[in-house]
Amino acid sequence: MTTHAPIRTSPMPSGAYSRQSWRIHEITHDFELEDVWALPVQGGPDDFPAFVEAMMSGEDRDFPAAYRLLFAARWTLGRLLGTDTDEHGLGRRVTSLRDRLSDLRDQPAPARDASPFQPLYLTDREYAAEIANRTMHGVLHLGWVEDESAPDGYSAQMSVLVRPNGLFGDAYMRFIKPFRYLVVYPALLRTVGRRWETAQGVDR
């Protein structure tokens, strides 16, 4: 199986997300689409669950030092400012989006990994997880998209949706945007690509 894919250096247009017939559209009508990225991952029609497991598992040490340092500083700042306390999280300040999925509400959620995101649902083409704190309610969405340029017909796509919490949340999202583009996304894309290649036994 060929899994190599070029790494984009800029986000995809919003239409790459909005034109897809995904369940996530049903529950995020009050969220803003923050970013859409093509991930350096390709595979066949049945490979999506394996990709999700590869992406969402693994160790922090898989990421570059700059990425780890940035997030360590972010969590430290969150503790100092009290932005990440339970009272601002899911089930307290905001209601989980899982309650909007009537047909999935009573089904077990996907297993939670070490990330701060709470899984919402997993299908053969979509995965969604959410996070909430004092600044925003956010959603990470992964999709498996038909791709004629991919040898096995499919490639992975990641979208980030947010609902900022007032003026403070808006200011926070503007403040972190340069860090996301300069550090977070480049490191994330490279690490995701390596994890997928490792999961598929592909040598670089």
Side-chain angles (χ1 to χ4, degrees):
M1 178 181 296
T2 302
T3 57
H4 292 277
I7 296 179
R8 293 177 61 98
T9 57
S10 60
M12 302 178 73
S14 60
Y17 165 83
S18 61
R19 66 170 175 259
Q20 299 292 334
S21 299
W22 280 330
R23 293 295 309 275
I24 194 65
H25 298 313
E26 302 173 21
I27 62 173
T28 55
H29 52 83
D30 50 348
F31 282 65
E32 302 170 8
L33 179 63
E34 190 74 13
D35 293 302
V36 186
W37 289 87
L39 299 178
V41 171
Q42 297 174 344
D46 301 324
D47 287 334
F48 183 64
F51 158 65
V52 172
E53 182 178 357
M55 175 169 174
M56 302 306 293
S57 61
E59 303 291 337
D60 286 346
R61 63 174 178 268
D62 294 343
F63 291 92
Y67 180 101
R68 300 196 305 271
L69 180 62
L70 179 64
F71 272 88
R74 159 62 185 87
W75 300 127
T76 299
L77 184 62
R79 287 194 295 271
L80 293 174
L81 298 179
T83 59
D84 300 323
T85 58
D86 289 343
E87 66 182 288
H88 297 300
L90 295 168
R92 300 290 293 277
R93 185 180 70 81
V94 299
T95 302
S96 171
L97 293 176
R98 189 170 171 81
D99 290 346
R100 300 183 182 183
L101 292 166
S102 58
D103 59 325
L104 298 178
R105 189 180 303 158
D106 297 328
Q107 297 181 18
R112 187 170 185 175
D113 52 47
S115 79
F117 285 88
Q118 176 66 51
L120 282 167
Y121 65 88
L122 173 66
T123 72
D124 61 342
R125 294 289 183 272
E126 289 182 73
Y127 170 82
E130 64 182 334
I131 188 172
N133 54 38
R134 184 184 173 191
T135 63
M136 58 85 195
H137 186 183
V139 175
L140 172 70
H141 180 265
L142 304 176
W144 205 231
V145 183
E146 291 189 45
D147 184 350
E148 293 181 356
S149 67
D152 295 300
Y154 286 82
S155 60
Q157 180 176 302
M158 179 182 73
S159 302
V160 177
L161 302 101
V162 297
R163 186 172 62 188
N165 184 22
L167 295 177
F168 179 63
D170 285 329
Y172 171 79
M173 295 305 299
R174 288 195 298 271
F175 173 74
I176 68 171
K177 187 171 184 176
F179 299 99
R180 293 202 321 269
Y181 279 72
L182 292 174
V183 178
V184 175
Y185 287 132
L188 179 64
L189 267 60
R190 288 194 296 271
T191 301
V192 167
R194 287 197 300 268
R195 284 180 176 177
W196 180 238
E197 291 183 343
T198 298
Q200 296 300 296
V202 175
D203 295 326
R204 295 184 65 89

